[in-house]
Amino acid sequence: MTSPDVLRAFDLQAEWCRKLNAHFTADVVATLADQLRRGGPVAGLLHDWPADPSSDAVPLRLCGALHWLALDGTSPLAPLYPPRATTLDRGAFVRELNAALLVDRAFFERMLLQAPQTNEIGRSAVLLGGFAEIARETGLPLALLEIGASAGLNLRWDRYRFELGPLSWGDPASPVRVASQWRGSPPPLPPAIEVAERAGCDRAPLNPRSEADRRNLLAYCWPEQRERAARLTAALELTSSDDLAVERADAADWLHRQLAPRRPSVATVVYHSIVWHYLAADTQRAARAAIEQAGTRATPDAPLAWLKLEFEAEGQPPVLSLVLWPGGARRRLATAHPHGADADWSAGKS
Ligand SMILES: C[S@@+](CC[C@H](N)C(=O)[O-])C[C@H]1O[C@@H](n2cnc3c(N)ncnc32)[C@H](O)[C@@H]1O
């Protein structure tokens, strides 16, 4: 029998998907929940989940596995998924789900062990306001250090074109176009922001040039979010023209190493988006200490910025905040949609 915690995780996820207008994924999750309640074959996969199924995002692990299969055009699941279908044929879906479980149950077991991995370039559209503010205030090129960088797509934000409501920024010829509705009083955007160097780390980095890693990233993008998948694909394509690689490392160790040398004549920017709450408490403490210690050594010629887009309170949208040393005062710049679809530059001010 499926535990009440697992069932609750599926019910909450279906509700959450509907709130986010992801009705296809909501129907997949609700159908899976129904199968779990009825004791269908999928129940055998999840009956003894050892930890908290909600914080482990178990429903999204399973949805990711099914979408991963559907991304192969020859899979019997493919015609049931967008773009070939817009609504879920629940009966056909259950038949194909059960068939897939019979053919390769081990695949589902492997996918359930894997935390959903996303690299959301929409967040670049919010981080951009912070980079602009740092460039304007310091008057220096930026040295980018991103933790939890995943496939490194938000390390290449200066190669994208942004459409920001009344504003736009970036190369108009870029194949990657990111839209975000900006409201309030955003920071002025200089025509260009110079990036002097860039590096990133992740505990489990993805290689954007590997077919398997690309398919993983696309699998965790909800299938009805066609625009999101299209810009993700375009950003992945763009990575073939450089050799930037995200280093496999724990955020705190990596920051400790990266922040040791002084970088004169550039503004060093440590940044992260939707990463902090994934870090263990010890890692958070050590990462914060590494940044704050480097902050005490910052000078006007070698300033340090800490830019983050993170959830700060339960049920509230993520906040973009900035600390700039010397000085070290913290500022709230904006609140934003978790995927960067909008940003409010007035609500963020305090
Ligand atoms: C929700 S994803 C966000 C990825 C990316 N920042 C973005 O906005 O698209 C969180 C990322 O943090 C990484 N992560 C979790 N714990 C980490 C740690 N201790 N050190 C480095 N990266 C970590 C995960 O592997 C994952 O890629």
Side-chain angles (χ1 to χ4, degrees), residues 2-348:
T2 307
S3 78
D5 283 352
V6 168
L7 291 174
R8 197 175 127 72
F10 277 78
D11 292 343
L12 286 175
Q13 186 62 60
E15 212 177 290
W16 186 235
C17 289
R18 284 199 206 288
K19 273 194 199 143
L20 293 176
N21 246 342
H23 295 287
F24 184 89
T25 302
D27 284 349
V28 169
V29 178
T31 308
L32 291 168
D34 183 55
Q35 286 300 301
L36 291 170
R37 286 198 165 85
R38 289 167 187 260
V42 72
L45 273 180
L46 294 175
H47 66 88
D48 55 354
W49 191 261
D52 175 359
S54 282
S55 59
D56 284 347
V58 169
L60 295 184
R61 292 182 189 212
L62 193 50
C63 286
L66 288 157
H67 190 202
W68 194 95
L69 292 174
L71 284 171
D72 175 352
T74 64
S75 157
L77 278 164
L80 305 180
Y81 269 69
R84 288 162 71 183
T86 48
T87 54
L88 185 70
D89 177 339
R90 289 182 182 226
F93 172 75
V94 170
R95 273 195 304 282
E96 293 310 333
L97 163 72
N98 292 343
L101 279 166
L102 205 62
V103 171
D104 196 355
R105 188 187 165 87
F107 161 77
F108 286 94
E109 286 168 351
R110 273 198 313 280
M111 291 295 279
L112 279 170
L113 291 177
Q114 187 171 298
Q117 260 272 32
T118 52
N119 195 183
E120 180 48 67
I121 60 166
R123 293 177 192 139
S124 279
V126 184
L127 292 166
L128 171 66
F131 295 131
E133 189 72 0
I134 299 162
R136 191 183 61 78
E137 282 192 34
T138 64
L140 293 169
L142 310 185
L144 305 175
L145 299 177
E146 186 186 8
I147 58 171
S150 186
L153 302 182
N154 289 330
L155 270 168
R156 296 168 169 93
W157 52 271
D158 53 330
R159 299 183 63 194
Y160 306 154
R161 172 72 174 177
F162 296 96
E163 304 294 346
L164 308 164
L167 303 172
S168 54
W169 190 87
D171 178 2
S174 171
V176 183
R177 308 189 83 76
V178 186
S180 178
Q181 278 305 318
W182 278 18
R183 294 189 301 276
S185 336
L189 297 177
I193 302 174
E194 190 184 342
V195 175
E197 56 177 278
R198 64 190 89 216
C201 82
D202 198 285
R203 185 178 58 176
L206 292 175
N207 176 358
R209 297 168 206 101
S210 127
E211 268 314 308
D213 284 0
R214 283 176 180 230
R215 186 159 165 189
N216 260 330
L217 277 170
L218 284 165
Y220 293 115
C221 194
W222 293 348
E224 63 270 69
Q225 297 179 329
R226 304 306 302 158
E227 222 174 278
R228 214 176 141 208
R231 78 179 182 209
L232 173 61
T233 306
L236 288 168
E237 288 295 324
L238 200 70
T239 64
S240 57
S241 59
D242 65 46
D243 57 4
L244 181 65
V246 172
E247 190 180 330
R248 182 179 299 275
D250 178 72
D253 302 341
W254 187 80
L255 280 175
H256 201 74
R257 264 190 289 126
Q258 288 289 334
L259 291 172
R262 188 168 180 277
R263 290 182 176 78
S265 308
V266 294
T268 300
V269 185
V270 172
Y271 70 103
H272 44 92
S273 56
I274 318 297
V275 170
W276 199 253
H277 64 282
Y278 290 100
L279 306 182
D282 280 359
T283 307
Q284 286 186 356
R285 265 193 298 277
R288 177 183 291 280
I291 298 166
E292 289 178 348
Q293 276 161 22
T296 63
R297 299 191 302 272
T299 61
D301 174 51
L304 175 72
W306 184 6
L307 179 69
K308 48 187 172 174
L309 175 63
E310 296 290 347
F311 289 103
E312 292 190 353
E314 182 123 12
Q316 297 299 311
V319 174
L320 180 74
S321 67
L322 172 65
V323 185
L324 192 56
W325 288 272
R330 179 181 184 276
R331 267 172 282 171
R332 276 165 66 104
L333 298 178
T335 53
H337 180 278
H339 294 158
D342 56 52
D344 186 340
W345 299 90
S346 48

